[in-house]
Amino acid sequence: MVVPAAGDAAAAAAALMGETADAGGSVVLTGGSTPRDAYELVAARHSDWGGVDVWFGDERHVPTSDSRSNQLLAREALLDRLVVPPTVHPIRTELPAVDAAAEYDAELAGEPLDLVLLGLGPDGHTASLFPGMPALDERERLAVATPPGLEPFVERVTLTIPALESGAHVVFLVVGEGKAEAVRRAFADEPSPRTPASLVRSLNGRTTVILDEAAAALLP
Ligand code: 6PG
């Protein structure tokens, strides 16, 4: 799905999150800077997240008061704005990353993930699955700790490919010309571990890629 501008992409992602929230489904939130507008939009239009389970696709191993925290972004732009809150499943960064990942892996077991929202890094990473890192090869555990492959250079906890691909609807939200080359590698070129996002698609459901024209500029 290519839309003219970043605002349109945020609105498209917000609409999909709103549908899942209205149905009381489960949502996996992404981090980074791109989703902020979409979170604020869906919070304004769908303020009742009763019955929803919220998970995090990855987290930087910092306190949730740290500006780099994905959970802080979600709280500020979405969760604290809701009238009826969801059940939030935090990644407990107060634990050592390996322990927080093991706890999340256990908590995720058997949990259906309806909407998995993902971003794309300029290096082709998604969640905190970076090129060349062992986390990309994990096929058993649903969450692992991993070193960072890109700034912010702090340890991460990330959902793995088995977790992400279990999503009934995997949605990538990518905007800006800085992502155009990664978009081509992730969604047009042959899948490759050099571009982790190219390896993530819904296994039994659907995958939607929301791009603004700038991010889609190098697609054939
Ligand atoms: C993270 C995110 C990551 C993000 C991409 C894009 O923890 O950084 O989960 O996967 O989606 O890095 O980030 P931007 O939206 O900031 O470009």
Side-chain angles (χ1 to χ4, degrees), residues 30-35 58 60 70 119-121 125-128 156 179:
T30 184
S33 56
T34 301
D58 70 319
R60 293 82 177 269
N70 290 337
L120 177 68
H125 84 263
T126 193
S128 282
R156 312 290 185 92
K179 301 289 178 71

